[in-house]
Amino acid sequence: EAGVTQFPSHSVIEKGQTVTLRCDPISGHDNLYWYRRVMGKEIKFLLHFVKESKQDESGMPNNRFLAERTGGTYSTLKVQPAELEDSGVYFCASSQGIWAFHTGELFFGEGSRLTVL
Amino acid sequence: GQQLNQSPQSMFIQEGEDVSMNCTSSSIFNTWLWYKQEPGEGPVLLIALYKAGELTSNGRLTAQFGITRKDSFLNISASIPSDVGIYFCAVAGFGNEKLTFGTGTRLTIIP
């Protein structure tokens, strides 16, 4: 069974440009999370989807970030316009049950590394 | 927001040595988690702790949930090359699913 897949694995863009990151969760997983790690810092929660609905978007940094999950399958995270401080690794995770992290059933993708020059 | 202080930030050890890292918080939590991120991969859960004072092992890894519920430590015994990676502590909030992670401990094994 395929795990959580993210695309692209690495993106290098200039300040002011737009980037769209994509996450394909494990099939059947209703819960989808986006996290971000800025270099050397903690992994920070961005938002949580349950199917196509945003359950919690309290971690989104500002309105330059837009996350969607049309149809409740894959999700995209768009950054427009990108700023230098947006550089980091963006992780997507998915689970079937909402307390899945207790049992290790919360699965992370490999991450999309974003470099803004 | 909530913040976890994780230390050390990095460790350089020789194969066979034991490793110890810890995480502290100013707030009380009911669940402490330890994750490992290997190069080019996403974080993977190593150990989950649910009760204050609990000591749990997973092979050569041992983790404890502090009695005050504000800290946790992770020990790795007899390190091997595949232990290389970044180790993160994490806590779960009350009544929500989002995790708060520590800043990570990067483990490097010197040949």
Side-chain angles (χ1 to χ4, degrees):
Chain A
E1 182 185 347
V4 177
T5 56
Q6 293 187 244
F7 182 83
S9 56
H10 191 187
S11 181
V12 182
I13 62 172
E14 292 192 347
K15 176 182 166 179
Q17 289 187 320
T18 297
V19 64
T20 300
L21 309 177
R22 173 172 168 142
C23 169
D24 285 75
I26 292 172
S27 177
H29 281 192
D30 289 341
N31 294 280
L32 188 150
Y33 304 82
W34 283 98
Y35 285 84
R36 175 176 75 169
R37 185 178 193 228
V38 171
M39 191 159 66
K41 300 207 169 177
E42 71 273 28
I43 300 173
K44 283 186 102 164
F45 169 85
L46 296 178
L47 88 159
H48 170 205
F49 283 101
V50 177
K51 296 186 180 177
E52 67 274 8
S53 300
K54 289 176 187 172
Q55 182 78 10
D56 181 351
E57 52 184 327
S58 60
M60 293 288 264
N62 51 60
N63 60 9
R64 294 186 294 103
F65 288 74
L66 175 64
E68 293 179 321
R69 192 182 181 195
T70 309
T73 53
Y74 70 91
S75 174
T76 57
L77 180 64
K78 183 195 288 191
V79 185
Q80 179 182 30
E83 298 289 342
L84 299 179
E85 64 264 26
D86 299 333
S87 296
V89 180
Y90 290 77
F91 291 104
C92 176
S94 76
S95 68
Q96 198 162 39
I98 59 170
W99 293 102
F101 52 81
H102 284 267
T103 56
E105 296 297 308
L106 174 68
F107 298 96
F108 282 82
E110 296 176 354
S112 288
R113 180 177 295 278
L114 174 63
T115 302
V116 183
L117 303 175
Chain B
Q2 297 151 354
Q3 200 167 355
L4 300 182
N5 298 308
Q6 186 171 349
S7 67
Q9 195 171 34
S10 60
M11 302 183 76
F12 294 83
I13 62 165
Q14 291 195 318
E15 185 177 347
E17 285 186 27
D18 296 343
V19 170
S20 186
M21 59 192 79
N22 68 79
C23 219
T24 60
S25 168
S26 57
S27 302
I28 289 172
F29 292 99
N30 287 335
T31 302
W32 280 86
L33 308 164
W34 284 93
Y35 281 84
K36 179 188 178 188
Q37 184 195 356
E38 295 189 8
E41 303 289 330
V44 174
L45 181 68
L46 297 174
I47 292 179
L49 301 159
Y50 308 108
K51 215 158 69 165
E54 178 182 0
L55 188 73
T56 298
S57 292
N58 178 4
R60 293 176 297 104
L61 276 60
T62 302
Q64 183 157 29
F65 190 152
I67 200 79
T68 63
R69 294 199 284 160
K70 291 184 178 181
D71 62 333
S72 177
F73 73 73
L74 175 70
N75 285 346
I76 306 173
S77 63
S79 58
I80 60 177
S82 61
D83 291 334
V84 162
I86 305 175
Y87 292 79
F88 293 95
C89 59
V91 293
F94 292 102
N96 65 59
E97 303 80 42
K98 68 187 182 193
L99 302 180
T100 298
F101 285 86
T103 50
T105 296
R106 182 182 292 274
L107 179 62
T108 302
I109 296 185
I110 306 164

